[in-house]
Amino acid sequence: MSNKKATLTLDGKTYEFDILDGSVGPSVIDIRSLYAKTGMFTYDPGFTSTAACDSTITYIDGDAGELLYRGYPIDQLAEDSHYLEVCYLLLYGELPSAKVLKDFELRVTNHTMIHEQMHNLYSGFRRDAHPMAIVCGVVGAMAAFYHDSTDVNDPIQREIASIRMIAKLPTIVSTAYKYSIGQPFVFPRNDLDYASNFLHMCFSVPTEDYKVDPVIARAMDKIFTLHADHEQNASTSTVRLSGSSDANPFACIAAGVACLWGPAHGGANEAALNMLKEIGTVDRIPEYVARAKDKSDPFRLMGFGHRVYKSYDPRAKVMQQSAKEVLELMGVENNPTLQVAKELEKIALEDPYFVERRLYPNVDFYSGIILEAIGFPTSMFTAIFALSRTVGWIAQWKEMIGDPQKKIGRPRQLYAGAVARDYIDIKNR
Ligand code: SDX
């Protein structure tokens, strides 16, 4: 806590509130006693000026375009680390030694299969169900299979549930993909790394050997790392709020999957690629840019803008380089979708409307291009985002559950409805 105070004067009375400093970034005014002292609430729909918790996991500086996982810059982690090491870092706070990392990777590897009866869940869905509908349902259903890791007050059960979800999400997501294309489900393999295993479960078929291309596997692993966590975004806040009621971990992560699905959030990668395809050719970009500026038109440039980043999303920079590598490998660097993406980005970075509002390409702008080049349908993009973000949701959930000051989240409101009035019998209405 700093020794600085904030004072508020209301109806001639002055109230003092502590100012709390973090290790870096904005300080906060501790208003927990505000209602008791003043009988008033703060008002902040969308939480644009509200810190809902304190955390030691991820730090974002939106003006500087900085993103740190436990203090390590995202571009260094994307370049020098790999996803399971980043998972360990997010969960436990420090980079592991080689031995500790190997043990962690083995624990994850030994949990990648899903309960055999979980395969039956998939046949209950239509083949053309959106993969996110399936993933949301199957993740929630994990509580019906793994009863020995649902007690949130038991740290050992919390740990097992965490490992299970990190290990099984690639299997759950790839199985949803196989189900949607009518191909047989593929079991995970213990001899493959995390990203290669996911690609293998998505793209291998029983009729021939499948060799994972290391460049594609590396790009996939980078996508996982870049999406792993992002401070108190909408889906993470959903997980925290769900967890504050002591709901079981699988239910909390399923709630995060549901929130991420929205096109304003994780659904933007699917929406961005669909938008680029709808634009189709470079000469049609001005028409769409005009629509994005038109207040009477609900159309927005998907993959642009961010609540926090008011400069370039550092993840988009890494993703742009990765997109170039993958498209060159796939021999589609002249991909029309990428041409439209590059021209759209150029225009948006020069157009006063976007410059004044500091609307830059975000993580979703390029991830969709890579995923399409790898061979995923757009409907799979957000499910892959959910797979990547599971570790971030779990790390934040564990931090919240382990907080001795934990309270159930219960926001209040500014009530603008009818004041008390008596019931009117229907014959008098
Ligand atoms: C993610 O929070 C996170 O960390 C999320 C995420 C994560 O890792 O968890 O980073 C992942 O969700 C990235 C964002 C993906 N969403 C999109 O790409 C969808 C398109 N973007 C917008 O919907 C929007 O930019 C948001 C939702 C991302 C942010 O919206 P804000 O901060 O609430 O901003 P706003 O809606 O108040 O807009 C400010 C102005 C408005 O214009 P004015 O009223 O000031 O004239 O900018 C305009 C908006 O109309 N604007 C856009 C725009 N985004 C904002 N105009 C055109 N196209 C856009 N994309």
Side-chain angles (χ1 to χ4, degrees):
M1 172 153 38
S2 75
N3 51 19
K4 291 178 287 186
K5 300 280 185 188
T7 56
L8 176 68
T9 303
L10 267 177
D11 303 332
K13 276 187 77 178
T14 300
Y15 304 90
E16 263 202 350
F17 300 94
D18 292 330
I19 288 179
L20 310 177
D21 293 333
S23 44
V24 65
S27 298
V28 299
I29 301 170
D30 183 349
I31 56 160
R32 284 175 286 185
S33 61
L34 177 81
Y35 180 55
K37 286 179 178 173
T38 70
M40 283 195 182
F41 300 135
T42 58
Y43 182 68
D44 186 17
F47 310 119
T48 48
S49 301
T50 294
C53 62
D54 51 82
S55 178
T56 61
I57 300 172
T58 294
Y59 174 71
I60 302 173
D61 180 333
D63 292 326
E66 185 179 35
L67 168 57
L68 309 177
Y69 288 169
R70 299 286 190 177
Y72 295 98
I74 190 66
D75 52 334
Q76 292 181 26
L77 291 171
E79 208 46 51
D80 304 328
S81 184
H82 63 274
Y83 183 67
L84 277 190
E85 182 175 77
V86 167
C87 286
Y88 184 92
L89 174 67
L90 287 169
L91 289 172
Y92 306 109
E94 297 298 335
L95 289 171
S97 66
K99 182 188 176 315
V100 168
L101 177 60
K102 196 161 177 54
D103 294 346
F104 178 72
E105 288 173 336
L106 196 58
R107 282 166 64 209
V108 172
T109 299
N110 290 337
H111 281 280
T112 50
M113 286 207 303
I114 56 178
H115 189 292
E116 193 56 13
Q117 279 179 238
M118 285 177 73
H119 289 127
N120 302 335
L121 296 172
Y122 290 80
S123 56
F125 294 100
R126 282 174 41 157
R127 290 277 180 180
D128 61 352
H130 194 289
M132 281 296 274
I134 297 177
V135 172
C136 193
V138 175
V139 170
M142 287 176 80
F145 289 88
Y146 301 107
H147 302 102
D148 61 342
S149 57
T150 52
D151 177 359
V152 299
N153 298 306
D154 177 348
I156 295 171
Q157 292 198 31
R158 294 205 296 264
E159 183 68 14
I160 297 171
S162 304
I163 295 294
R164 277 178 165 149
M165 284 188 275
I166 292 166
K168 296 178 196 303
L169 255 290
T171 311
I172 290 169
V173 170
S174 59
T175 304
Y177 173 57
K178 284 305 203 185
Y179 183 70
S180 73
I181 56 176
Q183 286 188 358
F185 301 155
V186 177
F187 284 97
R189 277 178 36 181
N190 292 354
D191 62 325
L192 295 177
D193 65 66
Y194 195 87
S196 301
N197 211 358
F198 176 63
L199 291 166
H200 155 73
M201 289 190 282
C202 287
F203 297 124
S204 74
V205 288
T207 49
E208 58 189 33
D209 286 341
Y210 174 78
K211 187 144 175 36
V212 179
D213 183 299
V215 173
I216 304 290
R218 185 72 191 122
M220 192 78 255
D221 190 271
K222 274 187 187 176
I223 285 181
F224 291 161
T225 292
L226 292 169
H227 288 81
D229 194 46
H230 212 238
E231 197 215 67
Q232 306 310 319
N233 58 85
S235 53
T236 297
S237 300
T238 301
V239 170
R240 278 181 172 261
L241 195 55
S242 307
S244 74
S245 73
D246 288 345
N248 75 73
F250 306 112
C252 295
I253 301 307
V257 173
C259 176
L260 186 78
W261 194 0
H265 188 15
N269 53 16
E270 176 179 357
L273 205 86
N274 290 339
M275 174 193 73
L276 292 174
K277 288 183 169 179
E278 184 187 330
I279 294 173
T281 51
V282 170
D283 61 317
R284 294 187 64 204
I285 290 176
E287 170 199 337
Y288 283 84
V289 169
R291 284 188 56 196
K293 297 180 192 174
D294 178 356
K295 291 300 162 210
S296 64
D297 187 332
F299 173 78
R300 285 192 161 183
L301 282 185
M302 303 315 280
F304 281 82
H306 199 278
R307 170 59 62 76
V308 176
Y309 289 124
K310 298 309 176 188
S311 67
Y312 218 90
D313 182 337
R315 303 167 296 177
K317 275 205 183 91
V318 179
M319 206 73 87
Q320 188 188 39
Q321 180 50 36
S322 203
K324 192 164 168 298
E325 289 162 9
V326 170
L327 291 169
E328 276 165 10
L329 175 89
M330 309 298 275
V332 290
E333 59 270 36
N334 299 319
N335 171 319
T337 306
L338 183 70
Q339 299 316 320
V340 170
K342 280 180 175 171
E343 187 57 25
L344 183 59
E345 180 189 31
K346 186 170 163 294
I347 292 173
L349 294 179
E350 291 160 2
D351 185 301
Y353 173 92
F354 297 94
V355 173
E356 283 154 20
R357 292 166 179 77
R358 300 198 287 175
L359 301 173
Y360 295 94
N362 56 46
V363 66
D364 296 300
F365 187 67
Y366 281 101
S367 58
I369 292 164
I370 299 175
L371 292 173
E372 189 195 48
I374 292 175
F376 290 105
T378 49
S379 61
M380 279 294 293
F381 292 3
T382 309
I384 292 169
F385 190 157
L387 183 175
S388 317
R389 183 56 56 87
T390 292
V391 66
W393 289 331
I394 288 168
Q396 300 271 353
W397 167 77
K398 286 178 78 175
E399 184 177 66
M400 183 272 305
I401 286 282
D403 181 348
Q405 293 186 62
K406 171 180 161 291
K407 293 172 81 67
I408 188 165
R410 196 342 184 153
R412 301 303 301 276
Q413 63 179 9
L414 173 67
Y415 179 68
V419 294
R421 51 184 173 166
D422 294 328
Y423 180 78
I424 302 166
D425 191 279
I426 193 158
K427 62 176 179 299
N428 300 323
R429 281 179 232 154

